[in-house]
PDB file of all heavy atoms in Angstrom:
ATOM      1  N   ALA A 570     -24.313  19.013  19.920  1.00 67.00           N
ATOM      2  CA  ALA A 570     -23.432  20.081  19.465  1.00 67.00           C
ATOM      3  C   ALA A 570     -22.544  20.628  20.574  1.00 67.00           C
ATOM      4  O   ALA A 570     -21.470  21.147  20.311  1.00 67.00           O
ATOM      5  CB  ALA A 570     -24.264  21.215  18.855  1.00 67.00           C
ATOM      6  N   GLY A 571     -22.969  20.511  21.812  1.00 64.00           N
ATOM      7  CA  GLY A 571     -22.180  21.061  22.907  1.00 64.00           C
ATOM      8  C   GLY A 571     -20.834  20.391  23.090  1.00 64.00           C
ATOM      9  O   GLY A 571     -19.941  20.938  23.744  1.00 64.00           O
ATOM     10  N   TYR A 572     -20.652  19.186  22.525  1.00 65.00           N
ATOM     11  CA  TYR A 572     -19.391  18.459  22.662  1.00 65.00           C
ATOM     12  C   TYR A 572     -18.583  18.470  21.366  1.00 65.00           C
ATOM     13  O   TYR A 572     -17.588  17.765  21.246  1.00 65.00           O
ATOM     14  CB  TYR A 572     -19.666  17.009  23.076  1.00 65.00           C
ATOM     15  CG  TYR A 572     -20.230  16.884  24.467  1.00 65.00           C
ATOM     16  CD1 TYR A 572     -21.606  16.893  24.682  1.00 65.00           C
ATOM     17  CD2 TYR A 572     -19.395  16.774  25.576  1.00 65.00           C
ATOM     18  CE1 TYR A 572     -22.136  16.793  25.957  1.00 65.00           C
ATOM     19  CE2 TYR A 572     -19.920  16.664  26.857  1.00 65.00           C
ATOM     20  CZ  TYR A 572     -21.288  16.681  27.039  1.00 65.00           C
ATOM     21  OH  TYR A 572     -21.809  16.586  28.304  1.00 65.00           O
ATOM     22  N   SER A 573     -19.019  19.252  20.400  1.00 73.00           N
ATOM     23  CA  SER A 573     -18.329  19.302  19.123  1.00 73.00           C
ATOM     24  C   SER A 573     -17.201  20.327  19.162  1.00 73.00           C
ATOM     25  O   SER A 573     -17.184  21.228  20.003  1.00 73.00           O
ATOM     26  CB  SER A 573     -19.307  19.643  17.996  1.00 73.00           C
ATOM     27  OG  SER A 573     -19.827  20.944  18.179  1.00 73.00           O
ATOM     28  N   SER A 574     -16.271  20.165  18.263  1.00 79.00           N
ATOM     29  CA  SER A 574     -15.151  21.106  18.121  1.00 79.00           C
ATOM     30  C   SER A 574     -14.723  21.086  16.668  1.00 79.00           C
ATOM     31  O   SER A 574     -14.541  19.995  16.088  1.00 79.00           O
ATOM     32  CB  SER A 574     -13.975  20.706  19.015  1.00 79.00           C
ATOM     33  OG  SER A 574     -12.859  21.554  18.807  1.00 79.00           O
ATOM     34  N   PRO A 575     -14.586  22.230  16.023  1.00 83.00           N
ATOM     35  CA  PRO A 575     -14.254  22.240  14.595  1.00 83.00           C
ATOM     36  C   PRO A 575     -12.860  21.665  14.346  1.00 83.00           C
ATOM     37  O   PRO A 575     -11.939  21.853  15.148  1.00 83.00           O
ATOM     38  CB  PRO A 575     -14.322  23.724  14.229  1.00 83.00           C
ATOM     39  CG  PRO A 575     -14.075  24.440  15.515  1.00 83.00           C
ATOM     40  CD  PRO A 575     -14.696  23.588  16.581  1.00 83.00           C
ATOM     41  N   LEU A 576     -12.743  20.952  13.233  1.00 89.00           N
ATOM     42  CA  LEU A 576     -11.455  20.384  12.858  1.00 89.00           C
ATOM     43  C   LEU A 576     -10.668  21.442  12.095  1.00 89.00           C
ATOM     44  O   LEU A 576     -10.474  21.382  10.877  1.00 89.00           O
ATOM     45  CB  LEU A 576     -11.650  19.120  12.010  1.00 89.00           C
ATOM     46  CG  LEU A 576     -10.405  18.282  11.721  1.00 89.00           C
ATOM     47  CD1 LEU A 576      -9.657  17.955  12.998  1.00 89.00           C
ATOM     48  CD2 LEU A 576     -10.786  17.002  10.993  1.00 89.00           C
ATOM     49  N   THR A 577     -10.234  22.453  12.849  1.00 90.00           N
ATOM     50  CA  THR A 577      -9.484  23.574  12.303  1.00 90.00           C
ATOM     51  C   THR A 577      -8.266  23.812  13.170  1.00 90.00           C
ATOM     52  O   THR A 577      -8.119  23.215  14.245  1.00 90.00           O
ATOM     53  CB  THR A 577     -10.345  24.855  12.285  1.00 90.00           C
ATOM     54  OG1 THR A 577     -10.722  25.164  13.646  1.00 90.00           O
ATOM     55  CG2 THR A 577     -11.600  24.667  11.451  1.00 90.00           C
ATOM     56  N   ALA A 578      -7.380  24.675  12.689  1.00 91.00           N
ATOM     57  CA  ALA A 578      -6.194  25.002  13.476  1.00 91.00           C
ATOM     58  C   ALA A 578      -6.592  25.567  14.829  1.00 91.00           C
ATOM     59  O   ALA A 578      -6.005  25.202  15.871  1.00 91.00           O
ATOM     60  CB  ALA A 578      -5.322  26.000  12.709  1.00 91.00           C
ATOM     61  N   ARG A 579      -7.584  26.445  14.847  1.00 91.00           N
ATOM     62  CA  ARG A 579      -8.011  27.038  16.119  1.00 91.00           C
ATOM     63  C   ARG A 579      -8.638  25.985  17.025  1.00 91.00           C
ATOM     64  O   ARG A 579      -8.372  25.952  18.234  1.00 91.00           O
ATOM     65  CB  ARG A 579      -8.999  28.159  15.855  1.00 91.00           C
ATOM     66  CG  ARG A 579      -9.538  28.832  17.119  1.00 91.00           C
ATOM     67  CD  ARG A 579     -10.459  29.992  16.795  1.00 91.00           C
ATOM     68  NE  ARG A 579      -9.734  31.051  16.100  1.00 91.00           N
ATOM     69  CZ  ARG A 579     -10.293  32.197  15.718  1.00 91.00           C
ATOM     70  NH1 ARG A 579     -11.599  32.408  15.929  1.00 91.00           N
ATOM     71  NH2 ARG A 579      -9.582  33.121  15.100  1.00 91.00           N
ATOM     72  N   GLY A 580      -9.479  25.106  16.450  1.00 91.00           N
ATOM     73  CA  GLY A 580     -10.119  24.081  17.259  1.00 91.00           C
ATOM     74  C   GLY A 580      -9.127  23.105  17.856  1.00 91.00           C
ATOM     75  O   GLY A 580      -9.223  22.751  19.042  1.00 91.00           O
ATOM     76  N   LEU A 581      -8.156  22.668  17.070  1.00 93.00           N
ATOM     77  CA  LEU A 581      -7.148  21.744  17.587  1.00 93.00           C
ATOM     78  C   LEU A 581      -6.236  22.421  18.610  1.00 93.00           C
ATOM     79  O   LEU A 581      -5.849  21.818  19.610  1.00 93.00           O
ATOM     80  CB  LEU A 581      -6.319  21.172  16.434  1.00 93.00           C
ATOM     81  CG  LEU A 581      -7.031  20.175  15.515  1.00 93.00           C
ATOM     82  CD1 LEU A 581      -6.119  19.779  14.360  1.00 93.00           C
ATOM     83  CD2 LEU A 581      -7.458  18.937  16.290  1.00 93.00           C
TER      84      LEU A 581
END
Side-chain angles (χ1 to χ4, degrees):
Y572 292 91
S573 65
S574 176
L576 189 52
T577 61
R579 179 177 296 181
L581 289 176

